[in-house]
Amino acid sequence: MEWLTYLVTYRNEFLQGTILTLKLVGVGLLGGFGLGLIAALLRVYGGKVGRWIAIGYIELFRGTPLLVQLFLIYFGLPDMGITLERMTAAYIALTLNSGAYQAEYLRGAIQAIGSGQMMAARAVGMTRFQAIRHIILPQALRMVIPAWSNEPISLIKASAVAYLIAVPDLMNQAKIIAGKLYDPIGVYFAVAIIYLAIVFVVTWLLGLVERRVAIPGLELETQRTH
């Protein structure tokens, strides 16, 4: 049970790393949601030009590894005269990457809303923007939660790549501690337990949110259709 001893002995270092990891995830998730929502709306309602812009962004960031994106932002941009701090580069990479995945979750939910609702909204005098804001999005944002809940979990694990540019997150703290103790197995096992605990808590919270905002009758209707 050496890993438990490490958790207690180096609790402050692990706590600092965990807090920073959660900050990375929080910023990436919120920023990615904003980008993803814009991209999803462009894919569905943006016309030919907007749709291709959204597709290009989504395919670029879903089709290349997050690590490559992070290195291009942190090590590549200085060649173009743009130098970013480590944290800023990590925030940007996680946001851009998460946004591409969230865009597809949101697009699916938006397209699941029957086109008749948009037609009905336009028929009573609403503009397209008003219909999207007041009719489509309130439903889509509730419907997307079961699929979207995978993204926070994925981002928690993906954020570990930030330590490769010396961001002092949980993995970076583990690397430093493992170097002191010469016991990488014990230290990284302790870190795995921390990640597992974070994922468990986040999964539990998302389950509560999903049940709270579930659309009445939707689950029953889905079961009948299948």
Side-chain angles (χ1 to χ4, degrees):
M1 300 290 285
E2 290 183 343
W3 63 269
L4 184 57
T5 302
Y6 298 155
L7 283 176
V8 174
T9 303
Y10 294 94
R11 59 186 178 277
N12 291 332
E13 289 84 350
F14 284 131
L15 179 60
Q16 292 173 6
T18 300
I19 291 173
L20 189 52
T21 291
L22 293 176
K23 286 183 179 178
L24 289 170
V25 173
V27 171
L29 198 63
L30 291 176
F33 179 81
L35 282 177
L37 182 58
I38 293 171
L41 291 174
L42 285 175
R43 283 206 65 176
V44 180
Y45 301 112
K48 185 175 181 180
V49 175
R51 183 165 58 250
W52 281 109
I53 291 174
I55 290 174
Y57 160 66
I58 292 168
E59 295 304 320
L60 174 63
F61 285 93
R62 292 180 71 211
T64 56
L66 173 58
L67 181 58
V68 173
Q69 297 162 19
L70 178 63
F71 278 13
L72 284 174
I73 291 170
Y74 185 66
F75 296 113
L77 288 182
D79 289 340
M80 302 172 60
I82 304 173
T83 302
L84 300 174
E85 296 290 335
R86 294 184 179 91
M87 287 296 298
T88 303
Y91 284 142
I92 292 174
L94 290 172
T95 295
L96 291 172
N97 184 270
S98 180
Y101 286 93
Q102 292 191 61
E104 289 298 274
Y105 292 130
L106 292 164
R107 178 180 66 87
I110 291 170
Q111 291 181 326
I113 307 298
S115 59
Q117 296 197 35
M118 174 63 78
M119 295 174 62
R122 298 300 300 274
V124 299
M126 283 188 173
T127 64
R128 174 175 285 193
F129 176 78
Q130 288 174 329
I132 292 171
R133 179 181 177 185
H134 298 291
I135 305 297
I136 304 300
L137 282 184
Q139 298 178 77
L141 293 179
R142 295 172 73 180
M143 292 178 63
V144 78
I145 290 177
W148 178 87
S149 60
N150 292 312
E151 183 59 20
I153 306 304
S154 297
L155 201 59
I156 289 169
K157 295 179 286 187
S159 67
V161 302
Y163 96 97
L164 292 171
I165 60 171
V167 171
D169 67 338
L170 183 56
M171 278 298 296
N172 190 279
Q173 295 290 353
K175 180 182 178 182
I176 294 171
I177 295 170
K180 292 178 180 178
L181 299 176
Y182 299 101
D183 183 15
I185 293 179
V187 173
Y188 288 123
F189 187 82
V191 170
I193 296 297
I194 296 174
Y195 275 111
L196 186 62
I198 295 172
V199 168
F200 177 82
V201 172
V202 171
T203 301
W204 177 73
L205 290 174
L206 289 171
L208 291 179
V209 173
E210 181 180 342
R211 290 190 293 272
R212 177 85 175 183
V213 304
I215 300 175
L218 180 62
E219 182 177 352
L220 180 59
E221 182 178 348
T222 302
Q223 291 175 354
R224 287 175 177 173
T225 57
H226 291 284

